Amino acid sequence: MSVQRIMMDDVRFSSFHTKMTLYTGGGAFCDGYILGIVAVALEALTPALKLTTVEAGLISSGLLVGMFFGSLIFGYVTDIIGRKLMFVLNLVAFVVGSVLQFFVTDFTQLLILRVFLGIAVGADYPIATSLLAEFSPKKNRGMLLSILIGLWWVGFVGSYAVGAVMISLGPDSWRWMLASSAVPAAILLIARLDCPESPRWLIEKGRTAEARAILDKHLGKDVDIQIPERVSKTSFASIFRGGYMSRTVFCCLFWVLQSAPGSAIAMFIPKVLANFHLAQGGFKFTGSLIIGLFYLVGLLPGIFLVEKMGRRPVVVWPFIGQAVLLAILALMTEAQPWTILLVFSVYAVLHTGTTVVQWVYPNELFPTEVRATAVGFAAAISRGGMFAGTFFMPILLNNIGLESTLFISGGIYFIGFIVSYFMAPETKNIALDEAAAVKQVSAVTEQHPELQRVRD
């Protein structure tokens, strides 16, 4: 009696998928935590190391410099040597870099370590997201990749809560804050040792027997993968050829236009609130925590809607909403504190709600042999935008004022709306290899015309 074969894209969601989401999402949590904790640590760190405004900006954005190179280089490396090995090695770097921050004695040492950690964080983006995308059923893929973004924000906001508690430890509190990221990273490192390699990647490399063994063990003996023939193997240039060029441009543009203003505002919430004259009585920290909680609230509709409504509406419409809300904030700098906090919180909900597509689109629009490369390249470009945003935010606030800074940020969001409106495709509930294909794009778009927005 023959066994009914099930394609990997069509398998039912199982406890294995939950485990893989936690393995990959744990890295996203650490990423957000490592990036966010420095914002609180700077309060004690700046006087302790006698940092200038420029040096403080470099410490804040040094991680992003490392992330640029980590994403750019190790996405490509991951496509060549595999997901699992890189999945473990970058966690080792998390632990080592986090602990060493405790012992720094000057600006240069800390900056070097922040760049080193950034390389590890940047590497985790293409490694973890491509691995999860390649295991996920098509009906749950967007949600699972969105959850990774959600866990990034949990780590980011959680770092504010941890920092608020640790600030009471005194002048050296910043050392404990920066080193604290070693704890979740060490736990995750042990867990990731049990992670399997991607069967899709193994088949691309001709290692079919290993792929079959992983499918049998984790998904069942009746599960198969159907991967179309490839014309080319892993090549960095592939993401700039034919139909993939327009996809690369789209992924880079929407991601950087979300990240540049959004990360700058999120990183400097206390400073932004202080510019609203809300620093009295510690309100800038209380307000930061409240807004941070709304950042988390915004994830829930985003994670739900990315599968219910699709990727396109989740990326397009929040752009215009954020532009309008920042313009409103720019016009009401003298309003009552709770009014400002309310508008800011609505902005936070919209911002995180739309960021859930950041790891969805690049993973769905590129094939297995260059998936991590594409994610890494788009992430690197976005981190370049984040670097500019976090570096220039305090400088802009000090030199041109809050109102102009908010108008500039809103203008960037408006550009994002234009770009995504004309370029964003829909990839909801489409098999991973179909969504990634451009050589068979005509056949694919007969069934899925929504993919025509990004074409050859």
Side-chain angles (χ1 to χ4, degrees), residues 213-234:
I214 289 172
L215 288 176
D216 290 350
K217 178 179 179 180
H218 296 288
L219 294 177
K221 296 181 182 299
D222 58 342
V223 176
D224 248 331
I225 308 174
Q226 185 175 1
I227 296 180
E229 290 294 325
R230 306 295 188 194
V231 174
S232 60
K233 295 300 179 183
T234 298

Side-chain angles (χ1 to χ4, degrees), residues 37-38 41 45 98 101 110 114 174-181:
I37 194 68
V38 74
L45 169 61
S98 296
Q101 289 178 110
L110 183 56
R114 295 301 291 177
W174 60 273
R175 296 183 184 275
W176 295 101
M177 290 184 209
L178 297 180
S180 64
S181 56

Side-chain angles (χ1 to χ4, degrees), residues 43-347:
E43 291 291 319
L45 169 61
T46 300
L49 295 185
K50 298 180 175 59
L51 300 181
T52 66
T53 301
V54 172
E55 288 174 337
L58 287 171
I59 293 298
S60 298
S61 52
L63 192 81
L64 299 171
V65 175
M67 289 166 72
F68 175 88
F69 291 104
S71 298
L72 190 66
I73 296 169
F74 289 103
Y76 179 61
V77 171
T78 298
D79 279 329
I80 294 175
I81 70 172
R83 283 61 165 129
K84 181 177 179 178
L85 177 61
M86 295 301 303
F87 202 47
V88 173
L89 290 179
N90 76 311
L91 259 295
V92 174
F94 277 21
V95 175
V96 172
S98 296
V99 171
L100 289 178
Q101 289 178 110
F102 186 88
F103 301 100
V104 299
T105 57
D106 59 36
F107 160 75
T108 302
Q109 293 174 3
L110 183 56
L111 181 61
I112 290 171
L113 283 175
R114 295 301 291 177
V115 172
F116 171 77
L117 274 170
I119 292 172
V121 169
D124 197 65
Y125 289 176
I127 300 166
T129 63
S130 60
L131 186 61
L132 183 61
E134 289 164 7
F135 271 114
S136 298
K138 66 183 181 184
K139 291 184 178 180
N140 309 107
R141 190 174 60 237
M143 179 191 70
L144 296 180
L145 290 169
S146 298
I147 288 173
L148 264 60
I149 289 285
L151 289 170
W152 186 97
W153 280 103
V154 171
F156 184 85
V157 175
S159 71
Y160 273 83
V162 171
V165 172
M166 286 188 168
I167 199 73
S168 62
L169 295 176
D172 283 335
S173 60
W174 60 273
R175 296 183 184 275
W176 295 101
M177 290 184 209
L178 297 180
S180 64
S181 56
V183 176
I187 295 171
L188 182 61
L189 172 60
I190 295 170
R192 281 190 175 183
L193 295 175
D194 186 43
C195 174
E197 181 58 270
S198 165
R200 294 180 188 272
W201 181 84
L202 288 169
I203 289 176
E204 287 286 348
K205 299 301 179 182
R207 296 159 61 178
T208 307
E210 294 175 63
R212 182 69 262 166
I214 289 172
L215 288 176
D216 290 350
K217 178 179 179 180
H218 296 288
L219 294 177
K221 296 181 182 299
D222 58 342
V223 176
D224 248 331
I225 308 174
Q226 185 175 1
I227 296 180
E229 290 294 325
R230 306 295 188 194
V231 174
S232 60
K233 295 300 179 183
T234 298
S235 167
F236 206 102
S238 296
I239 65 174
F240 305 106
R241 293 174 180 154
Y244 291 122
M245 178 64 182
S246 59
R247 296 182 179 202
T248 300
V249 169
F250 165 66
C251 289
C252 291
L253 282 178
F254 95 81
W255 200 344
V256 77
L257 292 168
Q258 280 183 348
S259 298
S263 61
I265 291 171
M267 281 286 288
F268 290 99
I269 292 174
K271 189 172 181 64
V272 171
L273 290 181
N275 276 263
F276 273 112
H277 311 296
L278 302 181
Q280 298 86 352
F283 189 88
K284 65 177 180 179
F285 291 112
T286 304
S288 297
L289 187 55
I290 292 172
I291 293 168
L293 292 175
F294 276 95
Y295 274 122
L296 295 181
V297 169
L299 294 166
L300 300 178
I303 291 170
F304 173 75
L305 293 175
V306 78
E307 294 291 11
K308 186 70 174 178
M309 293 180 62
R311 286 60 159 150
R312 180 174 162 76
V314 171
V315 71
V316 172
W317 302 112
F319 265 123
I320 196 69
Q322 291 172 98
V324 170
L325 287 168
L326 290 187
I328 292 172
L329 282 169
L331 296 171
M332 55 181 287
T333 55
E334 301 300 325
Q336 292 296 312
W338 291 106
T339 304
I340 293 170
L341 198 58
L342 175 63
V343 177
F344 215 137
S345 297
V346 176
Y347 158 80

